[in-house]
Amino acid sequence: MPQQQITTDVLVLGGGPAGAWAAWNAASQGAEVILADKGYLGTSGATAPGGTTLLVIPPVAELRDAAVRSRLQAGGYLSENSWIHRVLDQVEQNLEQIEEWGYPFPKDEDGNPLRTHLHGPEYMKIMRRVVRKAGVKIWDQSPALELLYDEHGAGGARGINRLTGEAWEVRANAVVIATGGCAFLSKGLGCNVLTGEGLLMSAEIGADLSGMEFTRQYAPSFADGTVTRGRMLAWATLYDQAGNPLHRGDRTFGSIPELMLKGPVYASLDLADTEAKQQFLRSAHPIFFMPLERAGINPFKDKFPLTLRYEGTMRGTGGLRLTGADCSTTVPGLYAAGDAASREKVTGAISGGGAYNASWAICSGSWAGLGAARHALSQRCLAGSRQLRAAGRMGLAGGAPASRTLDPKPLIAAVQQEILPLRINYFRSEPVVAAALQRLDSLMPYITGRPPATVQGIVQSREAAAMLQAGRWIYTAALARKESRGLQRLAEYPALDPRQTHRLILSGIDRISISTESVPHASELPVPREGRAI
Amino acid sequence: MIELVSTDRCIGCRLCVKVCPVNVFDMQGKLAVIARQEDCQTCFMCEAYCPVDALYVAPQADESVHVEEQELIASGLLGSWRAEIGWNPGAEDTMAERDTTPFFEEFTETFRSK
C-alpha cells in the first residue's frame, strides 16, 4: 500500500514544457492538478538546459499556406494541414502569454517583439513559477511507475519519491502523459530523463503508438560533450583527421553518419569569420560554446571532434497515437502531449527538429491540459471511489516472480547495444534490423526478475523495461514500413512507395500488433503510373 | 560530469539534491555529496541553481576528469555558468536579455557569406 495516497482531478506526468503547459491549462479550468516529474520542473527534459527555437510564422495566409504545403511534401504527406494551422495559431497566443509572464523577448527596430527563441533556464523557471501560482501541486523527484485504470479508462498513477523512497498513489479521472520521448540514455543535452516510461505505462492500459519507425535521428555533438545543436554546424567546415576539409555550410550535419564510416570527423565554426558574427552566435546559443571553452577549445578556430548522439523518439517523430483534437488517446481519460505523443500530425514522417517540437510541446500541452480538465470535471464518479487496478508489469516488482532478480544496468547496456549503433539503426536494412529485434526480444525474460529494493534500482528497472519495449516498437515498425520516407529508411527499399502513405499503428507489449491508419492528404501525393495500377 | 562540490562553499541548502534531473546528489550530514556520478547527464543545471557557486560540471560527459578547486576559482570557472545565465546576485542582465538574435536561420542566410 502506497505511503502517500491522494485524489485529484487531473494528474500530469512530466515537468518539461508540455507538462507545464498542460498543468497550467488544466488548472485554469478550475481543475485540481498534481504535476509529478521524475526530476524537477525547471531543469527536467530536453528544453531546460539549453533552449529552443520556435516555429512561428506571421498570421499572413500566403506565408502560412506555403509553410504548411512545404511541410506536407517534406513529411511524406503524413502530416495534417489543419493541425499545423492550429499550432501556428495557438503558439502565438502562448508566446504572448510567456512575455506577459516576464520573458524578455528581443524587439525589432519598430519595437515589435521577436518571439522566435527561448532560453531554457529562464523559460522553465517562469513556467515553474506560473504553474505553482495557478495552484498546481508540483511533485519533484517523483517518477511515476505505472498507471491506474478500470473499465472507464485511466484513473491515476503510482510512483515513488526518489528522495524519501516513499511510494505514492494519485487517483485522478484524467491523466496527461508528458514524459517526453525515449532517447535511450545517449547523453544528448538534458535527455537522460527521457527513457520512455510514459509510452510503456500508457501501452499497458491499451494506448496505441504511431510513427515509431520515424526514429532514425542522430544529433552531432562535441565528441566529449553533450550539447547537440546541429544548426550551429551551418557555420562549420567539417574536416577529416588529417585536416582536409570535407564539407562546408548548410546541411553539413546531414552527411556526418556517412563521413563517420570513413573515420573521425572534426568541425570548426570557421565560417563565422568576423567578430560580429562570432558574437552573434555566442549570445544566441551560449550552451553550445560554454562546454567547448571549458575544454580549452576555441570553436571558431580550432577543429573539435564530433560524435553523433541518438535522439530516439525525442527528435524522431513517433509516440502515443492521438485520436482527438484535445490530444486524447484511444484510452478514455488518457491524454498525451509533447514528445510523448506522436508528432506526425504536424511533422509527418520527418523530424520535428527543435522548432516544430517546441511549438508542438506548448500547443499540445495546452490542448491536453484543457481536454483533461474538461473530462475530469464532467465525470460523475469520483476517482477516489473507482475500483482501480495498477497496470504495470514489465520491470516492476508486482509483475515478477520472487525467485529471480533483475539487474537493470547490464540490461540497459544490452538494449543500447542494439539501438545506439549507426550501423544498425541509421543504416537500416532488413536482416540487420531483424537480427537486432530478435536479440531485443530475447532480453524479455530478463525483465521479469525482481528489481533491486533500492529507490534507484526500482526506477532504473522500469527505465530498462521502457527502453527495451521502445526499442522493440521502433524496430517492429521499421521492418513493417517497407519503403523509405522521411526519417524511415530501409536499404532494400530506397524509394518512397505511394501505397504506404498511411500511418503505422502499434499496440501491445509482448505481442505487438500492427495496423494502418489513413491520412487526409494521401491522395495529394503525386503517384507514378505503376503505383496507381496496383 | 559533475566533478566538484566545494565543501568550503556548500551551505547545505539541498537545492542541488532537489533540482538534479537525474538524482546524482545525496546529503551527507550538512553537505551535499556526489553519490551517483555515473548517472550525471552533464546538463549543467545544478551549477545554474547553486546559490553559492559550489558546484563544477566538467564538459566531459563520458569520463571523469580531475579538477582542482583553486584552479577553477582562479580561472573564474566556478560559478561561471550561473553568471552567464544571469542568476547570480547583482547580475546586470540575463542570458535571455542579452540575446537580441533575430531568427537564427534568417541570420545565417543573410550574413554567413558576407
Side-chain angles (χ1 to χ4, degrees):
Chain A
M1 182 56 70
Q3 285 117 316
Q4 188 170 18
Q5 261 183 316
I6 189 165
T7 300
T8 190
D9 295 318
V10 174
L11 172 63
V12 177
L13 301 179
W21 281 105
W24 186 85
N25 275 279
S28 77
Q29 299 300 295
E32 252 184 58
V33 184
I34 292 177
L35 181 152
D37 186 66
K38 192 199 277 186
Y40 176 85
L41 167 50
T43 67
S44 259
T47 299
T52 184
T53 299
L54 298 150
L55 174 75
V56 276
I57 296 170
V60 176
E62 286 163 36
L63 294 178
R64 290 203 172 171
D65 287 344
V68 168
R69 208 170 320 117
S70 81
R71 197 67 183 186
L72 184 66
Q73 278 169 7
Y77 289 78
L78 297 188
S79 58
E80 297 179 36
N81 295 353
S82 60
W83 276 77
I84 304 181
H85 279 295
R86 273 183 91 197
V87 166
L88 291 170
D89 287 340
Q90 178 74 49
V91 77
E92 299 246 339
Q93 294 175 36
N94 292 53
L95 291 175
E96 221 174 286
Q97 180 82 72
I98 300 175
E99 194 170 28
E100 270 169 42
W101 286 334
Y103 189 87
F105 286 111
K107 299 206 174 11
D108 68 10
E109 293 128 23
D110 305 324
N112 301 312
L114 295 164
R115 304 189 191 105
T116 59
H117 183 239
L118 286 162
H119 287 271
E122 205 65 49
Y123 171 28
M124 292 313 296
K125 194 180 211 177
I126 290 174
M127 291 311 296
R128 183 178 182 91
R129 174 167 51 79
V130 299
V131 163
R132 180 184 287 260
K133 209 170 152 206
V136 173
K137 290 197 186 91
I138 301 172
W139 290 8
D140 300 304
Q141 302 291 344
S142 298
L145 295 170
E146 57 184 324
L147 294 180
L148 304 174
Y149 76 113
D150 63 10
E151 69 277 17
H152 304 295
R158 280 184 183 173
I160 190 165
N161 182 313
R162 289 202 298 203
L163 304 186
T164 64
E166 281 180 354
W168 55 261
E169 179 181 291
V170 174
R171 292 172 168 245
N173 277 331
V175 179
V176 179
I177 304 293
T179 47
C182 181
F184 296 90
L185 298 175
S186 59
K187 288 198 179 160
L189 186 70
C191 294
N192 271 20
V193 287
L194 311 173
T195 43
E197 296 94 287
L199 306 184
L200 175 59
M201 55 183 121
S202 301
E204 282 169 337
I205 63 168
D208 296 336
L209 293 117
S210 181
M212 294 300 278
E213 67 277 28
F214 303 123
T215 40
R216 236 176 91 261
Q217 183 77 17
Y218 288 75
S221 119
F222 163 44
D224 294 344
T226 55
V227 178
T228 47
R229 288 290 175 277
R231 63 161 42 84
M232 297 303 300
L233 297 187
W235 291 85
T237 307
L238 302 184
Y239 295 90
D240 67 13
Q241 198 158 20
N244 302 309
L246 300 167
H247 265 285
R248 175 160 288 179
D250 254 354
R251 315 305 299 170
T252 36
F253 57 91
S255 58
I256 296 171
E258 280 79 10
L259 295 176
M260 280 179 63
L261 283 181
K262 294 178 200 141
V265 176
Y266 297 77
S268 174
L269 303 187
D270 43 19
L271 299 183
D273 49 9
T274 66
E275 182 74 11
K277 291 177 193 174
Q278 295 178 2
Q279 235 167 43
F280 164 85
L281 297 177
R282 184 69 183 72
S283 69
H285 291 279
I287 187 67
F288 179 85
F289 293 92
M290 176 271 283
L292 287 161
E293 290 159 2
R294 284 189 177 184
I297 292 165
N298 175 352
F300 297 114
K301 255 178 53 203
D302 303 336
K303 302 178 179 75
F304 53 94
L306 293 180
T307 189
L308 288 167
R309 298 206 177 265
Y310 183 51
E311 299 190 293
T313 71
M314 192 261 308
R315 222 192 289 243
T317 296
L320 294 167
R321 174 192 179 199
L322 301 181
T323 52
D326 56 356
C327 295
S328 48
T329 67
T330 47
V331 178
L334 187 70
Y335 297 77
D339 293 348
S342 167
R343 283 133 287 158
E344 289 161 293
K345 287 181 192 296
V346 294
T347 71
I350 58 175
S351 167
Y356 260 82
N357 283 357
S359 292
W360 169 254
I362 291 171
C363 298
S364 61
S366 301
W367 298 327
L370 294 175
R374 222 171 288 140
H375 178 85
L377 296 175
S378 67
Q379 299 301 302
R380 267 179 300 164
C381 184
L382 291 173
S385 56
R386 286 167 63 180
Q387 297 292 314
L388 293 163
R389 298 178 294 278
R393 200 171 47 82
M394 251 181 112
L396 286 173
S403 55
R404 302 177 43 177
T405 52
L406 193 169
D407 193 356
K409 289 218 163 170
L411 196 58
I412 289 167
V415 172
Q416 286 178 320
Q417 234 173 62
E418 305 302 335
I419 288 291
L420 301 185
L422 289 166
R423 68 184 164 74
I424 305 177
N425 203 356
Y426 185 85
F427 297 104
R428 286 180 184 174
S429 72
E430 275 185 329
V432 173
V433 171
L437 176 57
Q438 206 166 40
R439 289 190 294 271
L440 288 175
D441 287 342
S442 73
L443 295 174
M444 287 296 271
Y446 295 97
I447 206 74
T448 60
R450 181 164 283 272
T454 61
V455 175
Q456 282 78 30
I458 290 166
V459 175
Q460 278 166 4
S461 295
R462 191 62 165 159
E463 290 175 347
M467 285 185 275
L468 172 55
Q469 189 60 32
R472 294 177 66 233
W473 281 323
I474 286 171
Y475 284 159
T476 300
L479 291 169
R481 185 175 284 283
K482 296 188 188 304
E483 63 161 347
S484 293
R485 180 188 305 252
L487 279 180
Q488 154 74 350
R489 244 159 237 286
L490 278 177
E492 292 80 0
Y493 310 96
L496 182 146
D497 170 11
R499 290 163 300 173
Q500 296 183 55
T501 307
H502 48 232
R503 300 202 183 112
L504 285 182
I505 309 298
L506 304 184
S507 3
I509 310 278
D510 293 322
R511 272 200 57 239
I512 300 168
S513 62
I514 305 171
S515 58
T516 60
E517 179 185 70
S518 60
V519 287
H521 302 295
S523 61
E524 296 170 38
L525 177 67
V527 181
R529 198 162 287 279
E530 61 271 30
R532 226 178 284 150
I534 297 173
Chain B
M1 285 192 266
I2 178 77
E3 296 292 354
L4 175 73
V5 179
S6 164
T7 51
D8 288 346
R9 293 188 174 197
C10 179
I11 52 169
C13 71
R14 258 178 118 250
L15 204 53
C16 56
V17 177
K18 197 175 153 189
V19 304
C20 173
V22 288
N23 195 23
V24 160
F25 301 98
D26 274 345
M27 292 303 290
Q28 210 168 73
K30 289 201 167 133
L31 290 177
V33 294
I34 303 167
R36 288 166 292 276
Q37 190 187 27
E38 72 279 10
D39 289 339
C40 177
Q41 61 168 355
T42 317
C43 71
F44 306 95
M45 290 308 302
C46 56
E47 263 193 61
Y49 275 83
C50 178
V52 291
D53 298 327
L55 307 173
Y56 182 74
V57 179
Q60 289 81 5
D62 296 320
E63 58 181 41
S64 180
V65 296
H66 177 76
V67 299
E68 283 291 342
E69 183 172 346
Q70 290 315 313
E71 282 172 24
L72 294 173
I73 293 170
S75 61
L77 280 178
L78 207 53
S80 62
W81 187 231
R82 183 165 74 119
E84 180 150 16
I85 293 172
W87 287 357
N88 55 324
E92 279 174 27
D93 50 13
T94 63
M95 181 191 285
E97 284 162 344
R98 276 193 302 277
D99 177 11
T100 53
T101 314
F103 198 55
F104 188 90
E105 271 65 25
E106 253 169 54
F107 179 88
T108 300
E109 191 84 357
T110 318
F111 292 103
R112 192 177 47 200
S113 52
K114 279 195 182 165

